[in-house]
Amino acid sequence: MIKFENVGKKYPNGYEGLKNVNLDIEQGEFIAIIGLSGAGKSTLIRTINRMHDITSGDLTVDDVNVMSLSGKALRRFRRKIGMIFQSFNLITRTTVIKNVLTAFVPDMPWYRSTFGIYTKEEKLKALEALDKVGILDKAFFRADQLSGGQQQRVALARTLAQNPQIILADEPVASLDPVTAKQVMDDFKRINKTMNITILINIHHVDLALQYCTRVIGIRAGEIVYDGPASAVNDDVLKQIYQGGQEETA
Ligand code: ADP
């Protein structure tokens, strides 16, 4: 369970990225975070794995105070949280399978990581992860030979190989065409349902958020202005979230 209690995040320049955030997130939820550009969506999800430090309030994951972690304990904690980015972050000049295998590097002794030596078990786990996202047949292709949607699936497989409890996805479909974006959202949904992994997605496309996610968190200028079921998001709610902005809301 992820719990935010009166969480604030002030950047070093004094800007308040998050203000008084209160959230209870249960294991297995599939949540969309929506809001204008600069509203604080990315800041919010990045506090969960400590890519950003909160500056007030309490943030706990499974009753562990995230801000109390450091060194080895922080590294171990981060391993149960997968992160997916808009830009996929793959090593494009190498094979798909080698990209997925990098998920094991943090747990490997230095000589294995230096020489890229993986165990049979690790290789099988990597292939299994590729199978889960439907691209097992691409395992020995170079990553840059794949389409954008397939590359995002490689990133998802790499995260799954890590056996995560939580996946944080920062605009995972923003650079994909509408059809491919839906396919990637289908993958997230399936993974969420079959593996009970908690998924938080920052997403620009409100229509996809409402179609795929069960819960929506609307954020505006660092404050949560809506937190409820996707089915209850109506025009008034959207107005509240996007008020003052120029963005397309549907
Ligand atoms: P979103 O993901 O909703 O587009 P962000 O979480 O990236 O928004 O940013 C929220 C606000 O925090 C923005 O106004 C942004 O300019 C500001 N911000 C982000 N990172 C920093 C930083 N390192 N220093 C100061 N302000 C920042």
Side-chain angles (χ1 to χ4, degrees):
M1 194 218 232
I2 306 168
K3 196 174 177 71
F4 285 76
E5 282 176 285
N6 306 317
V7 166
K9 160 73 185 166
K10 204 180 248 190
Y11 281 107
N13 66 358
Y15 186 83
E16 278 188 278
L18 294 177
K19 296 171 204 161
N20 197 32
V21 171
N22 289 287
L23 291 170
D24 277 313
I25 297 169
E26 299 291 342
Q27 185 61 37
E29 287 200 75
F30 187 15
I31 302 180
I33 301 164
I34 61 172
L36 288 165
S37 271
K41 304 183 292 296
S42 188
T43 305
L44 180 71
I45 66 164
R46 286 167 191 237
T47 59
I48 297 171
N49 65 351
R50 281 280 297 279
M51 277 176 85
H52 287 323
D53 287 349
I54 63 169
T55 49
S56 58
D58 285 307
L59 171 55
T60 56
V61 175
D62 295 336
D63 296 322
V64 172
N65 183 338
V66 170
M67 291 303 291
S68 71
L69 298 169
S70 63
K72 208 170 172 185
L74 179 59
R75 284 198 295 277
R76 203 176 319 120
F77 168 77
R78 280 189 172 139
R79 248 170 276 156
K80 65 179 184 181
I81 305 179
M83 186 91 199
I84 300 277
F85 300 92
Q86 177 180 350
S87 52
F88 323 135
N89 287 10
L90 300 181
I91 310 163
T92 50
R93 293 173 64 85
T94 190
T95 57
V96 163
I97 184 82
K98 281 190 181 160
N99 270 280
V100 178
L101 284 165
T102 60
F104 303 116
V105 167
D107 294 319
M108 280 164 48
W110 69 269
Y111 62 90
R112 285 218 285 124
S113 56
T114 305
F115 297 108
I117 303 166
Y118 297 96
T119 63
K120 189 174 168 192
E121 196 195 352
E122 286 164 346
K123 288 177 194 164
L124 285 174
K125 271 193 195 163
L127 290 170
E128 202 182 309
L130 284 169
D131 195 26
K132 280 186 186 138
V133 294
I135 51 165
L136 183 56
D137 59 327
K138 299 286 187 288
F140 298 99
F141 280 55
R142 249 174 65 149
D144 57 7
Q145 291 176 329
L146 270 52
S147 68
Q150 289 167 337
Q151 289 193 34
Q152 192 56 293
R153 285 179 166 152
V154 178
L156 198 48
R158 181 181 54 193
T159 295
L160 290 178
Q162 203 184 311
N163 198 21
Q165 181 187 331
I166 300 165
I167 293 178
L168 307 174
D170 204 354
E171 300 276 8
V173 298
S175 54
L176 304 176
D177 66 76
V179 174
T180 314
K182 279 195 170 201
Q183 288 167 353
V184 171
M185 290 301 283
D186 283 330
D187 288 338
F188 277 115
K189 189 172 177 178
R190 199 178 58 253
I191 285 161
N192 166 256
K193 277 226 151 84
T194 60
M195 301 170 79
N196 199 39
I197 297 173
T198 306
I199 303 183
L200 280 94
I201 294 193
N202 283 352
I203 189 161
H204 243 63
H205 309 76
V206 176
D207 51 342
L208 290 181
L210 301 186
Q211 184 183 341
Y212 284 92
C213 300
T214 42
R215 174 172 170 189
V216 170
I217 294 171
I219 182 163
R220 187 171 150 226
E223 284 180 277
I224 308 286
V225 292
Y226 177 79
D227 179 9
S231 56
V233 175
N234 55 26
D235 284 352
D236 286 340
V237 170
L238 290 177
K239 212 187 270 174
Q240 212 178 343
I241 298 169
Y242 291 98
Q243 208 171 37
Q246 304 297 319
E247 290 203 14
E248 198 64 34
T249 54

